[in-house]
Amino acid sequence: MQEEEFIISLVAIVFGIGLTGFFLHNIFSLIKAWINRKSSSSSSDINPQFFKALGEFKKTTERRIANLEAIVSELEEEKIRIPESADSNAEITIEDSQVRGESKKDDNSNLRNMLNE
C-alpha cells in the first residue's frame, strides 16, 4: 500500500467512527429524554403557592371588573336621564307640516318601513 491510500483509508475510518458515534449519541439522548418525560408526568410536583396566587389574581380581577361595570352603568344611566327643565309644565309642540316643509310620500313610507323593521 502506498502512503496516499493509507491516509485516505485512515481518514475514512475515523470519519465513519465519528459519524457512527454521533448517531448513537443522538439516539441514546432521545431515549433518555423519553424516559425522563414518562417519569416526570407521573410524579409531577404541583406548586400550591402558584394556585393560591392564581386564585387571588382571579378574585382581584373579578372585583375590578365589577367596579368598572358599575361605573359604566352609572354613566349610561346619566346619559339616558332627561334633564328636567325649570318649567315643570313644559309641553312638546309639533310644528305644522307647512312650517316644516312638504315631505314626499316616499319619505313617509320609507320611515314607516324602517319603524316596522
Side-chain angles (χ1 to χ4, degrees), residues 1-17:
M1 251 194 189
Q2 294 179 354
E3 269 186 51
E4 293 174 357
E5 293 175 356
F6 179 72
I7 292 174
I8 291 174
S9 61
L10 186 62
V11 169
I13 290 171
V14 170
F15 179 74
I17 290 172

Side-chain angles (χ1 to χ4, degrees), residues 16-69:
I17 290 172
L19 188 63
T20 305
F22 176 73
F23 283 128
L24 288 176
H25 179 267
N26 285 340
I27 290 171
F28 286 124
S29 66
L30 285 175
I31 291 170
K32 187 176 179 182
W34 182 67
I35 290 171
N36 288 338
R37 183 177 58 101
K38 288 280 189 175
S39 66
S40 67
S41 64
S42 63
S43 64
S44 61
D45 295 331
I46 299 174
N47 190 356
Q49 292 176 349
F50 173 72
F51 289 113
K52 184 178 179 182
L54 188 64
E56 290 175 4
F57 176 75
K58 181 181 176 185
K59 288 177 186 176
T60 57
T61 304
E62 288 176 351
R63 244 184 291 148
R64 289 176 183 172
I65 290 174
N67 289 339
L68 290 174
E69 287 176 349

Side-chain angles (χ1 to χ4, degrees), residues 72-116:
V72 168
S73 66
E74 289 175 4
L75 291 175
E76 288 178 352
E77 287 177 7
E78 288 177 6
K79 287 180 183 178
I80 292 173
R81 290 184 194 150
I82 300 174
E84 295 181 14
S85 61
D87 185 19
S88 62
N89 296 329
E91 295 181 6
I92 298 175
T93 58
I94 300 175
E95 298 174 347
D96 290 334
S97 60
Q98 294 174 354
V99 175
R100 286 185 292 167
E102 296 291 329
S103 62
K104 296 180 181 178
K105 292 181 182 178
D106 294 334
D107 292 345
N108 290 338
S109 63
N110 287 338
L111 180 60
R112 288 185 193 134
N113 289 336
M114 288 171 41
L115 291 175
N116 288 334

